[in-house]
Amino acid sequence: MKGVILASLADLVTTKFGKDKWADILKKSEINEKARFLPVGDYPDKDVLKIVRSLCEVLHVSPAQAGEAFGDYWVNTYAPKMYSQYYARFKSAREFLLGMDEIHKNINVADKQASPPRFAYSWKDDKTLLMKYKSSRNLIDIFVGLVKGVGKHFHETLRVTHVGNNVVQIVFPK
């Protein structure tokens, strides 16, 4: 997994809970407490998943709560600093979400080592989108949090529900 995800996670935990909690999470994950994650680095998925599990245990949160917190932080705090060119392309949550697969496809073209999730789309009706999250990492809780974060970013109240089989239902306000 790309280090930008771990760098953002470290930033979130240290900002909201302190450096000691981040050190505790790394220690529980059997990773050097002083480890720093470079945004452009590549890190084994198994280590990232251990960190996410340890984060839930150390902070006493569910995977859904962790996913929601990370999604909000990524979309509204961390990513806009790194990926402002992507944010500028979209005027609504609908546009942003419908553009995510193309963005991730382009990431694969630019970096052959990257393996971001991909998405498939289908419309249930004119305001209800079903997005299928396609990734072997099975981080659906983070994806749900990211979708909710996109709604917050665009000041739109989205109804976001994980409806099973890695499918998320998004009901747009209009």
Side-chain angles (χ1 to χ4, degrees), residues 23-133:
D24 292 346
I25 291 165
L26 292 179
K27 185 176 181 179
K28 186 162 191 64
S29 304
E30 300 174 343
I31 294 172
N32 184 326
E33 298 166 43
K34 296 181 192 243
R36 298 291 176 258
F37 301 101
L38 301 174
V40 296
D42 290 306
Y43 300 91
D45 286 354
K46 67 178 182 58
D47 289 347
V48 177
L49 297 174
K50 278 182 11 182
I51 290 170
V52 171
R53 281 191 299 276
S54 296
L55 177 144
C56 291
E57 291 176 28
V58 169
L59 298 180
H60 307 289
V61 297
S62 70
Q65 290 169 315
E68 195 157 324
F70 178 80
D72 181 63
Y73 193 78
W74 173 265
V75 171
N76 293 297
T77 304
Y78 196 86
K81 295 181 249 177
M82 304 265 305
Y83 304 110
S84 61
Q85 73 276 17
Y86 292 115
Y87 282 76
R89 290 175 43 192
F90 304 109
K91 304 294 180 233
S92 70
R94 181 184 300 241
E95 285 181 17
F96 191 98
L97 292 169
L98 290 171
M100 282 179 61
D101 191 62
E102 187 66 26
I103 291 168
H104 284 188
K105 182 179 166 186
N106 290 337
I107 289 170
N108 275 17
V109 170
D111 182 351
K112 301 292 184 213
Q113 300 300 318
S115 59
R118 299 293 305 273
F119 308 99
Y121 306 92
S122 63
W123 288 95
K124 197 171 179 179
D125 57 46
D126 64 332
K127 36 183 252 188
T128 308
L129 175 65
L130 298 173
M131 275 183 83
K132 183 167 179 83
Y133 164 87

